Amino acid sequence: MFAPILTRKTALMFATGLTLAGCNLAPKYVRPELSVPTATPTGPAYAATDAAGAIMPADTSWEVFFTDDRLRRVIRTALENNRDLRVAVANVAQARAQYTVQRSNLFPTLAASGSATYQKSPFGAVGSGLAGGTGTGGTGTGGTGTGGTGTGTGTGGTGTGGTGTGGGTGGTGSSVVSSGRADIYSANVGISAWQIDLFGRVRNLTQAQQEQYFAAEENRNAAQVSLIAEIATQWLTMAADQDRLKIARDTERAFGQTVKLTQDRFRIGIASELEVRQASTSYDQARSDIADATTLIAQDQNALNLLAGTTLTADSLPARLDTTSPTLENLPANLPSEVLLRRPDIASAEHQLIAANANIGAARAAFFPNISLTAAFGTISLGLSNLFGNGSQNWSIAPSVSQTLFDFGRNKGNLRYAQATRDAAVATYEKSIQTGFREVADALARRGTIGAQLQAQTSLRDNAAGAFKLSELRFRAGIDTFLTTLDSQRSLYTAQQTLLAARLTRDSNSVELYRALGGGVTSSLSSTPRP
């Protein structure tokens, strides 16, 4: 009988709560304006690129952007084994779990309970108020007469003196009245202290936690992009060090021949001891460079092993720095500043800002009454077999309202803290955009001039090699002094190293531009799905 009434009341209560729950006290979120120019800089340092044919790293998978198979193999290994990336993935899982916990507060928690009470009265009767049925009590005479014992289902009332009439309300059951014992069973389903989110406090806290989860996901993406860029840069550095070692060894052999020649000329009295000493200094410098390059290669491999999370095989390591770039070269220039919003670190900063904005709404809601609801529906009976029988229903609804009258400034302090946190998040977001703009502009400036620098360094290397050959021939012919030949040989060695550094800068610049523009979406490590 009570079930239809309870269902209608509960439905009405939920509908009312959902209607009133539309109130939201959080400020309307408006994305801050970009605190940078509308486009990347232009000028002598920046080369124009055909935007129609350029590719955006954020739209290109890293497997496509990096063209060297060995480098791709190292990156793939790192994405599977790098411990920092595993920490970032775990942080996403933690944030998602916290969001799930917070979101559950939007809904009532249903709980089921059952109980059994075994009761005995020394007076031969159980005053539970639950016994059903009717009994006919006997009539006694006098004020001290003893009434009869009621009979029927349930525990009949017994009277002392006067006329005793059995009665009660509730479910059906049976008990032994003469012994004063009753077995009471109950089963209930209900909710306890569910907060009706009339002023949006719970919804704003849920949104804040959801944005924290999104920020953790973007941080994972940023960690992945940084890891890929760091691996590529370290791999290219090792390739350049391999070439540096080769140049040092070739120079050592050349200087060794020069030392032997000057020593022979010194023995026959043609050359002086000064020439021998000068040739030996260049030879010793080349030997020192060989030792230094050998050390750097070993350290490069150790760094790559750490980034990859395992020991890399020799076939994954570079043997030299190729003349062609290991990345796609048709990268854009003259970009609008809006492309920075696709960077994971900037996206994470914006999610943090939205979360701080939602926390203001939660802090404002604390000034208003807290409305909660406790309700239960179940059945109770004196017999286990009749627990779910007719007439055994039992229900209760207990709404409550509480309002803080004076909290010594706690709510006001929490609101001011939330507002200050939002202001700090705005500044952090704007600083992230400014940092990203500077990184992209620096990378584009280097990219705009590296081609001319490479051409000049290549010409310098070729001219130095030609000058060395001519000076050596003139020295052997007795036209020039040995010092001219030695200076030409040193200039060639320096020009070779400078050209190698320029080639490394060119390749590293492509990697830096890939990172500064937000990187690409990986296909081997999928992002955690959002709810």
Side-chain angles (χ1 to χ4, degrees):
M1 177 178 65
F2 296 107
I5 299 176
L6 180 61
T7 302
R8 289 193 296 270
K9 288 184 176 180
T10 304
L12 179 62
M13 174 193 65
F14 274 97
T16 304
L18 291 176
T19 302
L20 295 177
C23 183
N24 191 341
L25 301 178
K28 182 180 179 180
Y29 173 73
V30 178
R31 174 183 288 173
E33 295 183 2
L34 294 179
S35 53
V36 294
T38 57
T40 54
T42 58
Y46 302 92
T49 301
D50 183 10
I55 62 102
M56 283 293 297
D59 298 328
T60 306
S61 172
W62 63 264
E63 293 100 330
V64 176
F65 182 80
F66 295 97
T67 57
D68 190 285
D69 290 335
R70 294 166 300 173
L71 178 55
R72 285 196 292 238
R73 189 157 55 245
V74 174
I75 294 175
R76 190 174 295 107
T77 301
L79 293 180
E80 295 173 355
N81 297 282
N82 182 267
R83 298 319 190 260
D84 290 335
L85 192 57
R86 289 184 180 181
V87 171
V89 172
N91 289 339
V92 175
Q94 288 178 344
R96 181 184 178 90
Q98 290 174 338
Y99 165 62
T100 302
V101 172
Q102 176 60 45
R103 186 180 58 176
S104 66
N105 293 328
L106 291 170
F107 310 98
T109 300
L110 299 178
S113 63
S115 66
T117 302
Y118 304 98
Q119 184 175 352
K120 182 177 181 180
S121 172
F123 303 105
V126 180
S128 63
L130 301 173
T134 59
T136 57
T139 58
T141 60
T144 59
T146 302
T149 302
T151 61
T153 59
T155 303
T158 60
T160 58
T163 303
T165 303
T169 61
T172 61
S174 63
S175 64
V176 181
V177 179
S178 61
S179 63
R181 174 177 174 180
D183 299 342
I184 303 173
Y185 300 89
S186 66
N188 296 281
V189 176
I191 59 177
S192 177
W194 172 48
Q195 181 177 350
I196 300 177
D197 195 24
L198 185 61
F199 301 102
R201 176 180 176 274
V202 178
R203 282 182 289 117
N204 280 309
L205 290 176
T206 301
Q207 183 187 9
Q209 192 60 60
Q210 183 185 43
E211 295 299 329
Q212 294 289 351
Y213 160 56
F214 292 161
E217 193 175 41
E218 295 295 347
N219 288 336
R220 187 210 69 86
N221 295 336
Q224 176 178 304
V225 172
S226 296
L227 174 63
I228 293 174
E230 190 173 357
I231 288 174
T233 301
Q234 191 62 53
W235 193 86
L236 292 170
T237 301
M238 184 176 182
D241 287 338
Q242 294 278 22
D243 276 350
R244 187 173 291 110
L245 177 60
K246 182 179 181 300
I247 292 173
R249 285 174 175 171
D250 293 342
T251 304
E252 180 201 27
R253 286 192 294 268
F255 281 142
Q257 294 174 359
T258 302
V259 170
K260 185 178 181 302
L261 176 63
T262 54
Q263 287 175 343
D264 293 340
R265 291 170 61 86
F266 174 69
R267 279 193 295 268
I268 63 177
I270 300 177
S272 64
E273 183 180 357
L274 177 60
E275 294 176 340
V276 175
R277 296 291 185 183
Q278 289 173 333
S280 297
T281 57
S282 298
Y283 174 73
D284 292 338
Q285 181 62 51
R287 291 172 56 202
S288 175
D289 291 344
I290 290 174
D292 183 59
T294 303
T295 301
L296 291 177
I297 291 173
Q299 292 175 343
D300 293 337
Q301 183 171 356
N302 293 335
L304 281 173
N305 289 340
L306 177 61
L307 292 172
T310 186
T311 301
L312 297 172
T313 57
D315 59 347
S316 298
L317 301 176
R320 59 187 298 272
L321 190 64
D322 295 332
T323 55
T324 58
S325 175
T327 65
L328 296 178
E329 298 183 1
N330 191 19
L331 297 178
N334 303 329
L335 296 169
S337 298
E338 284 78 6
V339 300
L340 296 174
L341 300 179
R342 304 180 64 178
R343 282 175 49 131
D345 58 334
I346 294 178
S348 175
E350 184 173 12
H351 286 304
Q352 296 282 2
L353 173 57
I354 298 175
N357 195 74
N359 283 330
I360 293 178
R364 287 176 175 175
F367 288 89
F368 295 88
N370 186 353
I371 304 174
S372 61
L373 177 67
T374 298
F377 172 73
T379 179
I380 187 170
S381 174
L382 287 174
L384 182 60
S385 60
N386 297 319
L387 183 60
F388 298 100
N390 292 329
S392 64
Q393 292 87 355
N394 177 53
W395 63 272
S396 66
I397 298 178
S400 65
V401 179
S402 64
Q403 171 66 56
T404 301
L405 299 180
F406 192 70
D407 62 359
F408 298 92
R410 180 185 296 109
N411 288 338
K412 186 176 294 185
N414 288 333
L415 177 58
R416 290 175 178 173
Y417 175 81
Q419 292 171 337
T421 302
R422 189 268 315 273
D423 294 341
V426 171
T428 301
Y429 174 71
E430 293 175 342
K431 179 62 180 298
S432 299
I433 292 179
Q434 291 174 347
T435 301
F437 183 85
R438 187 251 171 113
E439 291 175 350
V440 172
D442 286 349
L444 291 176
R446 172 55 61 189
R447 185 172 184 82
T449 58
I450 191 61
Q453 184 178 355
L454 273 173
Q455 290 179 357
Q457 291 294 341
T458 302
S459 177
L460 177 62
R461 189 271 317 270
D462 295 340
N463 289 329
F468 170 65
K469 291 179 181 179
L470 291 176
S471 64
E472 187 177 27
L473 292 175
R474 291 170 64 88
F475 169 69
R476 292 181 183 274
I479 301 175
D480 284 340
T481 63
F482 172 73
L483 183 59
T484 302
T485 303
L486 187 60
D487 286 342
S488 299
Q489 198 170 23
R490 289 172 178 171
S491 297
L492 174 60
Y493 183 38
T494 302
Q496 289 173 329
Q497 291 180 320
T498 305
L499 177 59
L500 178 62
R503 291 171 54 203
L504 176 60
T505 299
R506 178 201 62 187
D507 294 344
S508 299
N509 174 256
S510 297
V511 176
E512 173 58 22
L513 195 55
Y514 164 86
R515 187 197 65 80
L517 290 175
V521 179
T522 180
S523 62
S524 60
L525 187 60
S526 60
S527 177
T528 305
R530 294 182 178 181

